[in-house]
Amino acid sequence: MPSLPDASNGGNRSSPLLWRILKFFLRSFRGPVDRFRRASRAAAYPIQGIYYFLRHPEFYPVFLGRLLPLSIISFLVYLILFTFAFIPQLLFLMIFQGKAGAWFNAIVLVLGEGHVVIQGLFEGFFVDEAQVDIFDATLINHGLTDLVAPHRLLFPDAPTSVKMLGKPTTKAEFQPFSLKQIIELIVFLPFNLIPYGGTVAFLMITGSRYGKLSHHRWFQLRGLSKKEMKRERSYWSWEYTWFGTIAMVLQLIPVLSFFFLLTTSAGAALWVTDLEERSRVRVGRPVTANDQAARNQPDEPVYHDGIYHDDPV
């Protein structure tokens, strides 16, 4: 007696086809989803830096002692610009963009002009040292003392990570002074005149440049060559764009721009700690009071022969 065809066999033949179709659609979405995940994670670090900075009072003297006077000067810069430059630019933009778009773009345009002035006058000369200190102290807080120790004097008996920091023994820059970056800010400022997407384009283009320099200190600590730094920046270019864009938005906030420079430094260091944790086993950590008691011997610096002296900053 001839056997009837098994309907289940047909179902089995169709299953691989359906699975291939499903995998095709999943593959199509995997790329955009992965890029969104990477972008959102990088963009979160400047925000995390704010929270981290506020939760560590030992960082406060770095801001209050060094940058608060500059914040007052930056307020005066923005006050002058908004008094004399805002209204003419607003009226000009209203001709092409309407009232709502003109107000938003005019504000960003004046904030960008103020940022250019402040960056050209102050950031490269007065702020970088404070950013290096916050960056290095954050690494020490996360057990990456061995990364910092070869490049600056450390006082392990100091009560906080900030006070552990002595003078650098090698060149220490959070971001190298970049005339090209200032020129780019000036060149791309007119993007704010473009309706709708112009301001977003300005923030992302300038933020991309800023983001690519945000790990310059990390590259220094690792002893990378210029060629190796360039390769690293190229590899992380997508993430740097979003990190830098959020950082740029924060730095356009009047008066608080210097504060956000420091919190962004903390955020960049938090990003480094995550990368280091995934790439190696950490060695070294902050020395605690229990460690000192366990040693049961006079406190002696580990990395140099000097003696720690308390410093208000």
Side-chain angles (χ1 to χ4, degrees):
M1 180 177 178
S3 60
L4 295 174
D6 189 353
S8 63
N9 290 337
N12 290 337
R13 283 195 297 270
S14 63
S15 293
L17 177 61
L18 291 175
W19 178 240
R20 283 197 296 270
I21 294 173
L22 180 60
K23 284 201 296 186
F24 172 78
F25 281 106
L26 288 175
R27 247 186 254 113
S28 301
F29 286 103
R30 186 180 301 167
V33 169
D34 181 63
R35 290 176 74 85
F36 175 78
R37 178 183 59 82
R38 289 160 50 202
S40 58
R41 185 167 57 189
Y45 282 113
I47 308 301
Q48 292 177 26
I50 299 172
Y51 179 68
Y52 186 83
F53 189 98
L54 293 175
R55 287 182 60 245
H56 288 78
E58 66 267 25
F59 291 169
Y60 296 174
V62 178
F63 173 71
L64 297 175
R66 304 181 191 179
L67 301 186
L68 185 60
L70 296 181
S71 297
I72 297 173
I73 295 174
S74 73
F75 170 75
L76 297 176
V77 170
Y78 282 115
L79 180 64
I80 293 170
L81 285 173
F82 273 97
T83 301
F84 297 103
F86 176 71
I87 297 299
Q89 292 176 109
L90 173 64
L91 295 175
F92 177 77
L93 290 173
M94 286 178 66
I95 299 173
F96 304 99
Q97 301 182 10
K99 191 173 293 186
W103 272 93
F104 177 74
N105 285 355
I107 290 173
V108 175
L109 184 61
V110 173
L111 290 176
E113 292 164 352
H115 184 66
V116 170
V117 173
I118 292 168
Q119 186 178 53
L121 292 177
F122 306 118
E123 284 187 18
F125 304 101
F126 300 106
V127 184
D128 197 77
E129 181 183 349
Q131 290 181 278
V132 168
D133 286 350
I134 294 298
F135 186 90
D136 289 357
T138 302
L139 295 184
I140 291 173
N141 284 340
H142 285 79
L144 296 173
T145 310
D146 64 303
L147 195 61
V148 180
H151 300 276
R152 69 186 305 166
L153 305 177
L154 294 179
F155 299 93
D157 57 335
T160 67
S161 57
V162 174
K163 292 182 181 295
M164 281 180 66
L165 302 175
K167 292 183 179 180
T169 55
T170 61
K171 188 175 183 180
E173 294 176 322
F174 181 75
Q175 289 186 346
F177 178 77
S178 175
L179 182 61
K180 182 178 180 180
Q181 185 179 6
I182 296 176
I183 293 173
E184 283 183 350
L185 278 171
I186 297 171
V187 169
F188 291 118
L189 266 177
F191 272 49
N192 292 283
L193 303 176
I194 302 173
Y196 308 112
T199 298
V200 175
F202 167 75
L203 291 173
M204 292 194 69
I205 292 172
T206 55
S208 175
R209 164 68 62 176
Y210 183 87
K212 288 179 180 178
L213 296 175
S214 60
H215 279 164
H216 180 79
R217 175 59 176 166
W218 183 38
F219 300 155
Q220 276 189 332
L221 295 177
R222 292 163 59 195
L224 300 188
S225 65
K226 288 185 178 181
K227 184 177 181 180
E228 290 170 329
M229 289 183 186
K230 185 176 181 180
R231 185 167 61 245
E232 291 266 341
R233 288 170 181 144
S234 176
Y235 180 81
W236 296 101
S237 60
W238 176 249
E239 287 85 351
Y240 285 145
T241 296
W242 292 98
F243 178 94
T245 298
I246 300 302
M248 183 62 64
V249 171
L250 292 173
Q251 289 174 35
L252 290 179
I253 299 176
V255 183
L256 295 176
S257 58
F258 286 114
F259 172 73
F260 288 131
L261 277 171
L262 295 187
T263 62
T264 299
S265 305
L270 292 175
W271 188 359
V272 166
T273 62
D274 288 342
L275 295 175
E276 288 283 346
E277 284 178 353
R278 290 200 293 266
S279 65
R280 69 183 179 110
V281 177
R282 295 184 300 168
V283 292
R285 59 184 174 80
V287 177
T288 65
N290 292 333
D291 296 327
Q292 299 287 4
R295 277 196 280 177
N296 194 27
Q297 59 184 13
D299 296 342
E300 295 178 359
V302 173
Y303 300 110
H304 66 101
D305 297 327
I307 301 174
Y308 166 72
H309 297 282
D310 194 12
D311 188 294
V313 176

